[in-house]
Each structure stands twice: as C-alpha cells, then as structure tokens.
Amino acid sequence: MTTLHPVAQCGHCLSQPPAWRQLYCVGDYTPPLSDYVQQLKFARQLHYVEVLADLLALKIQPNIQMITYVPLHWHRQLWRGFNQSEFLARALAQRLGLPCRALFKRTRATRSQRGMDRLQRQRNLRGAFTLTKSVTELQSVAIVDDVVTTGSTVQQLCKLLLDAGVKSVDIYCICRTPE
C-alpha cells in the first residue's frame, strides 16, 4: 500500500521554484475561508479583515523586516472602495509588530484573473507593476495577498523586489488554490 505524504509545494513549484522563500497561508480556497474572502472583497464585509488577520498571524513565523501588499489599479480600488490586501497587510503588521508600507503601484489596469490559466495570468500581468520606493535598506520583505492561485501576481512583485536588492521575500496569504 502506498502512503501519501503532504508536500509544502505543488508540482509546478517543485519543477520551477518560485522567487519567494516561503509561502504562509491559512488554508486552501475552500469554504469557509473562500466564503470569508468573497464576503470581504465583494460584499464589503470589512469585519472579516480582523478575523482573517488573526488566523494568518497564527500561521506565520516572521523573519522579515517589513510587510507590503499587492496593489490594486486605482480604477478598481475606486470601484471597490478599498484594497483588501492592504487592509489585511495593515492588520497583520499590527499583530506581528512590523511596519507595513506600500512599495508597489499597478501601472496599468489588467483584466480580472478569474478563470485564467497560469500562462494567461503571466501575460496579463506583464509590466503591470512598478516599485514606488527604494528598498536598498531592506533584506527581507513579506507580500500580503488574499488569494494565491498560480502565483503569477506575487511572482511579478517578488522579481521587482529581488532585482532591486532585497535578499528574500515571503508571501502571506489567506488562501491558495490547489493546482
């Protein structure tokens, strides 16, 4: 009989390692976590920020200097009224006693990533972000996102940080979707 052992990375990550050092998440994108994230993002149930930040803080062993977050394009943020990743990052930083700063700007509007495969997501995000602040004094940063699906978004942001001199990047997310 074969014994199955859980792995910390998916098959794609094992064959093509991501730019980040460690990905911390509360769990898979399944109920009830997926429901909480959807209620936060689409029904403006902002009280879920506190609940989700508490759950995520329990999973993290911070070894970083600063927390940042995935930016929304100004048009999407205006429509939604807030950036859920920013709210989660600020609440998490408070719990972990770390600074939280905006380091990125989304330079162009992109189509929603929902329903796209890995390659489509990578193409959709190409050139969509820029660094807005110097990071030369930073050795380690964590990027907060609500959901990591293929990792295309955080991969783009990691590359910007690493190319600018940051030595290591961690990802903090509420959910990740299983491959």
Side-chain angles (χ1 to χ4, degrees):
M1 178 180 278
T2 304
T3 304
L4 297 177
H5 300 282
V7 294
Q9 295 179 321
C10 69
H12 180 81
C13 292
L14 291 171
S15 65
Q16 296 179 352
W20 56 83
R21 174 181 56 180
Q22 181 74 39
L23 185 143
Y24 296 91
C25 75
V26 177
D28 285 343
Y29 191 71
T30 58
L33 287 175
S34 58
D35 298 334
Y36 299 159
V37 170
Q38 288 176 17
Q39 287 295 309
L40 170 61
K41 284 172 79 165
F42 304 117
R44 298 180 192 226
Q45 298 295 311
L46 299 180
H47 64 276
Y48 281 114
V49 167
E50 301 303 321
V51 173
L52 295 170
D54 285 342
L55 291 171
L56 186 53
L58 294 172
K59 299 283 187 176
I60 295 171
Q61 300 163 357
N63 186 17
I64 54 150
Q65 292 173 279
M66 180 191 301
I67 292 177
T68 191
Y69 48 89
V70 174
L72 289 179
H73 186 266
W74 69 267
H75 189 262
R76 185 165 292 156
Q77 185 158 339
L78 183 65
W79 176 80
R80 187 173 290 158
F82 66 100
N83 177 345
Q84 71 282 355
S85 294
E86 177 183 0
F87 279 25
L88 289 165
R90 294 196 183 286
L92 185 62
Q94 184 178 37
R95 283 155 178 77
L96 299 176
L98 292 166
C100 179
R101 294 198 182 89
L103 296 180
F104 306 106
K105 178 181 180 183
R106 194 175 287 246
T107 56
R108 64 179 178 82
T110 56
R111 292 188 355 235
S112 171
Q113 304 261 90
R114 215 184 264 189
M116 292 184 185
D117 65 24
R118 181 181 304 277
L119 187 57
Q120 290 169 322
R121 286 170 181 254
Q122 289 170 346
R123 286 185 189 140
N124 189 43
L125 294 172
R126 199 169 290 137
F129 302 103
T130 187
L131 270 172
T132 59
K133 299 200 175 20
S134 172
V135 294
T136 55
E137 76 286 355
L138 295 173
Q139 296 292 310
S140 56
V141 175
I143 301 169
V144 173
D145 200 1
D146 56 346
V147 179
V148 172
T149 303
T150 64
S152 298
T153 302
V154 291
Q155 184 78 10
Q156 294 281 330
L157 299 176
C158 283
K159 184 171 176 5
L160 288 172
L161 289 171
L162 295 169
D163 288 351
V166 172
K167 301 294 183 240
S168 67
V169 181
D170 286 348
I171 307 302
Y172 298 167
C173 67
I174 302 305
C175 303
R176 70 177 178 187
T177 55
E179 285 287 319

